[in-house]
Each structure stands twice: as structure tokens, then as C-alpha cells.
Amino acid sequence: MKITDAKVFVGGPGKNYVTLKVMTDQGVYGLGDASLNNRETLPAAYLNDYLIPNLIGRDPRNSEDLWQYFYRGAYFRRGPIAMAAFGAVDMALWDIKAKLAGMPLYQLFGGKSRDGALVYAHATGSDLEDLMNSIAHYQALGYKAVRVQCGIPGMPTASYGVADKGLSDKQFITDFSGIVPKEEIWDTDKYMRFMPDALAQIRDRFGPDLKILHDVHHRLLPREAAQFAKAVEPVGLFWLEDPTPADDQDALKLLRQHSTVPIAIGEVFNSIWDCKQLIENELIDFIRVAVTYAGGITHVKRIVDLCALHHVRTGFHGAPSHSPISMAAQAHLNAWAPNFGIQEYLVLGTPECDALFPSKHRLEQGMMIVSDEPGLGVDFDENEAKQYSYKPGSHPVVRLEDGTLWNY
Ligand code: GCO
Ligand code: MG
């Protein structure tokens, strides 16, 4: 069996999805996602210039060897661009293998460990009342878990995760007004004064059963993060995400000494080497990597297995930047993983997205129900894709009030 061709498409409804389609001499094809948010042209170029020419003629069933070939063969290892490109190839090869087997992908991992995978939605409010309404909205839709982000009184611009008026949470993550980012102002003192009490009020309003998550988005110093974690301890959060910048693995030690709040980190990690120390030293409770830019299914499964040895559960990244292809790959991992925790879930559900990526994966009462179709269980409509093309976009950049550059 041989790979005969592969193509990359960039574009999508409100997002620059990077979609890889790998064709074979047996008519079976596989799909992969390399949508590195706001840097999408780069994994697309990596695929077109380096990986696709090396794929033609190879046996698609040898996904492990091809992964090693690209990873070791690059000489310069890791990095989100390369890992996103390897990841897309890897997803496509697993898709082909499971289609050949005539099985849904989770069967190749060891079958299903659960019927539905718990997901969380994003509730957002410009103030606390607004946020309470947003939480109630998701609860009414059947969600059992919500991430809560709130505007901070006196903060000159919206804080992380809060949509501007008129914009839905799905739209605000990428600003399509151009490649030069907007700037936001951050004030740690105002955040520290407001947020713990706001979280306590949310718990009082919604009672003990709602799973409440909060994302600090890398904004605090280690000592501040430890203080914050201590302050929110009575709220009983499901998790506190990215309390400190994720590149410093030692930063969480102080927090761990002072608090038992569950910690989630890793949406920016692209390899097992970024989180090995955090996992082995049991400094985290949830791993946030995504198959999209952490080397695909082969590499993420390796991370999940290491996590299982250290009581770390999964909480894969699922911001709208990921296409339904990598969300499908994660749905299969979620169905299997013995150490599954939760899945962030925002991407599916718009009619345009469903038309471009038809699938039978579905959400029921806050649970993701994996499709039983062979392979990843998601398709890609090339005719639909013709209406979309790449649109430049960016994340905001964050500064303190005196102009010092801070972490987005
Ligand atoms: C999350 C994330 C995202 C990121 C975005 C950056 O927890 O969902 O923090 O919202 O900001 O993916 O590209
Ligand atoms: Mg996050």
C-alpha cells in the first residue's frame, strides 16, 4: 500500500483551519489538522515544502516509523510549527489505518472506557451578573462544567477570556482586523482583589454540583499564583488553569506547597519534554496538550500514558482554533483514556463548520458522544472548502499600565 498524493487547505468559517488530506493507491484517504492558531501559514508550508514530498510512495500503515522519520530526520527537534505538521500527518495515517480496519479509531487504542466524555463550555461576562447569566445559559443547555472568565472592575481593557460586547466567545480568540495585534492592559492587583470573591459568589449561586473551571492565562508570578490558589481553595474549583507562564516548570512548586487546588497546564506544550518534569514530580492534575500541535495522536498518547503513571488526568485543549478533525482525534482518545478528565469543547455546532467537516460526533447533555464510523469519523468537503481562504489574524498583546510587556 502506498501514499499517492497529499494536499493542504487553509481556511474555514471564521478560522484558518489547516487541513491535510492524504490519498492512497487503495482509494482510502486520511485527514489531519495542523491549525496552529494565528500562525497557520507556517505548518502549511512545513507540510507542503518538507513532509508531503517525503510521504509520496511510503506505506501509510507505518505511522510510528513515519513519525520517527520526520521527528528525528528534521535534526532540529520539537517546536509548535514542526509538531503541528507532524501531527497532521499522524492523524491522517491513523485515520487511514482505522478505515482499513473498518473500526472507529478508539478500537485501535483498546476500545471504549466510557460512553460519553465530560466537556466544558466557556462562560464569559463583562461583569459578574453578565457572567452569571452566561453560566445559567450553558447549564440550561445541559453542560455540567463551565470555564468562567469575568471582566475585572477598573481594568482599562477586557481581561483574558472576556468577549467584547457584541462578540461571541467563539469569535474573540482571533482578531481578524489584521496581523498587528491589539494591545490590552493587565493589572494583577485588581484581578487578585476581585476574582476570588467572584468565584465564591458563583459557587454560592450555582451550588455544589456545577464543575467550575477558571483560566488565569499565564498572568501571575509564582508567589501571586500560590496566594491566588490559597484564596480560591474554598470554592472547590474543578481546575485552575495556567496560573503561571507554562514555560517555567519550577514555577508550580510554590503553589503546590500552599494549596491543593487542582492545576491544569499545557495548551502551549508541543512535546513530552515540555511537561515531563511537571508530570513526574506530580506538580499538575490535568494535562492540556492538543493533538493539533503536540505531534498528533502518536505523541499525545505517549504523554497520556506517562500521565497515567502519576495520577494526572487529561483535559485536552479544545479552543475553536482546532478543527473538527483534531477534535475527533481527541474524542477517540477521550473515549479510550483510562485517565480521562474533561474535554474543552467549543468547535463543532455551527452549520458552516458542520458542512465543511461532516461527522456523527455529537454533544448530549454536556457529554461528547464519539462516532462509531470507521476512522476518525469526520470528513472534509472540498467543494465547501472552495469558498474559504487564509485571512490574517492575531492574538492581542498584553502590557502593564506602565507599558511593560506581559503574558497574553
Ligand atoms: C483556552 C485557551 C485559548 C487560547 C487560545 C490561543 O483555554 O481555551 O486559553 O482560549 O487563548 O487557544 O490561541
Ligand atoms: Mg487556556
Side-chain angles (χ1 to χ4, degrees), residues 120 147 160 215-218 241-242 267 288 317 344:
Y120 72 90
R147 187 190 84 167
Y160 165 74
D215 190 348
V216 184
H217 224 253
H218 325 272
E241 178 181 345
D242 287 338
E267 65 184 42
R288 294 276 289 136
H317 194 220
E344 184 180 29

Side-chain angles (χ1 to χ4, degrees), residues 335-370:
W336 152 78
N339 51 332
F340 167 75
I342 199 167
Q343 171 66 59
E344 184 180 29
Y345 180 93
L346 287 104
V347 71
L348 307 178
T350 69
E352 298 83 6
C353 202
D354 292 347
L356 185 59
F357 300 101
S359 96
K360 293 207 170 75
H361 297 287
R362 61 188 200 280
L363 191 68
E364 266 176 26
Q365 293 297 306
M367 308 292 274
M368 177 94 183
I369 313 294
V370 70

Side-chain angles (χ1 to χ4, degrees), residues 188-307:
T188 297
D189 291 342
K190 289 191 173 72
Y191 173 77
M192 298 279 279
R193 279 200 299 272
F194 175 75
M195 205 60 216
D197 183 55
L199 291 169
Q201 289 190 48
I202 292 167
R203 174 59 76 210
D204 280 354
R205 174 86 67 97
F206 290 93
D209 288 336
L210 181 70
K211 295 181 176 25
I212 303 172
L213 298 76
H214 178 64
D215 190 348
V216 184
H217 224 253
H218 325 272
R219 300 284 163 95
L220 301 178
L221 300 173
R223 192 209 57 76
E224 294 161 348
Q227 184 188 339
F228 188 87
K230 248 163 85 167
V232 300
E233 190 117 26
V235 177
L237 290 180
F238 184 87
W239 81 30
L240 184 68
E241 178 181 345
D242 287 338
T244 51
D247 29 20
D248 177 8
Q249 303 202 7
D250 282 335
L252 292 172
K253 283 186 191 157
L254 191 66
L255 188 154
R256 271 313 217 210
Q257 285 158 11
H258 290 277
S259 163
T260 57
V261 165
I263 298 301
I265 207 160
E267 65 184 42
V268 297
F269 294 160
N270 56 75
S271 103
I272 200 164
W273 304 101
D274 296 333
C275 46
K276 181 175 176 287
Q277 200 180 317
L278 288 174
I279 297 165
E280 288 175 347
N281 294 334
E282 302 183 1
L283 292 172
I284 57 172
D285 302 279
F286 294 93
I287 188 75
R288 294 276 289 136
V289 289
V291 295
T292 319
Y293 26 70
I297 294 160
T298 295
H299 195 68
V300 165
K301 192 169 173 301
R302 216 149 261 156
I303 296 175
V304 172
D305 284 333
L306 177 64
C307 282

Side-chain angles (χ1 to χ4, degrees), residues 23-253:
M23 275 70 75
T24 68
D25 58 359
Q26 300 195 5
V28 182
Y29 59 87
L31 298 169
D33 176 25
S35 310
L36 181 62
N37 206 22
N38 298 330
R39 293 291 184 271
E40 297 90 349
T41 56
L42 303 174
Y46 201 115
L47 282 160
N48 279 320
D49 296 349
Y50 303 103
L51 302 190
I52 291 176
N54 279 296
L55 272 176
I56 314 294
R58 304 217 182 245
D59 187 334
R61 294 169 298 186
N62 297 333
S63 51
E64 180 69 54
D65 183 63
L66 277 166
W67 198 94
Q68 301 293 338
Y69 182 73
F70 288 139
Y71 181 82
R72 292 167 196 255
Y75 183 63
F76 301 100
R77 295 186 182 187
R78 304 154 62 178
I81 297 162
M83 294 298 266
F86 305 159
V89 171
D90 186 71
M91 279 175 236
L93 301 186
W94 278 99
D95 191 18
I96 291 169
K97 194 190 294 288
K99 282 174 177 165
L100 289 173
M103 290 178 182
L105 181 59
Y106 63 76
Q107 292 293 4
L108 307 192
F109 304 150
K112 264 194 214 177
S113 304
R114 56 195 58 77
D115 293 327
L118 177 71
V119 306
Y120 72 90
H122 283 192
T124 155
S126 51
D127 58 29
L128 190 51
E129 215 30 62
D130 211 18
L131 174 57
M132 298 276 197
N133 292 335
S134 175
I135 299 169
H137 162 77
Y138 284 111
Q139 220 182 15
L141 291 175
Y143 284 89
K144 297 164 180 47
V146 280
R147 187 190 84 167
V148 302
Q149 305 299 127
C150 192
I152 308 296
M155 196 92 92
T157 56
S159 55
Y160 165 74
V162 178
D164 285 341
K165 287 264 178 260
L167 277 184
S168 84
D169 179 63
K170 287 185 183 171
Q171 291 163 307
F172 84 96
I173 287 177
T174 296
D175 170 17
F176 284 106
S177 62
I179 213 80
V180 178
K182 290 216 172 94
E183 299 206 351
E184 291 178 355
I185 305 291
W186 171 255
D187 184 328
T188 297
D189 291 342
K190 289 191 173 72
Y191 173 77
M192 298 279 279
R193 279 200 299 272
F194 175 75
M195 205 60 216
D197 183 55
L199 291 169
Q201 289 190 48
I202 292 167
R203 174 59 76 210
D204 280 354
R205 174 86 67 97
F206 290 93
D209 288 336
L210 181 70
K211 295 181 176 25
I212 303 172
L213 298 76
H214 178 64
D215 190 348
V216 184
H217 224 253
H218 325 272
R219 300 284 163 95
L220 301 178
L221 300 173
R223 192 209 57 76
E224 294 161 348
Q227 184 188 339
F228 188 87
K230 248 163 85 167
V232 300
E233 190 117 26
V235 177
L237 290 180
F238 184 87
W239 81 30
L240 184 68
E241 178 181 345
D242 287 338
T244 51
D247 29 20
D248 177 8
Q249 303 202 7
D250 282 335
L252 292 172
K253 283 186 191 157

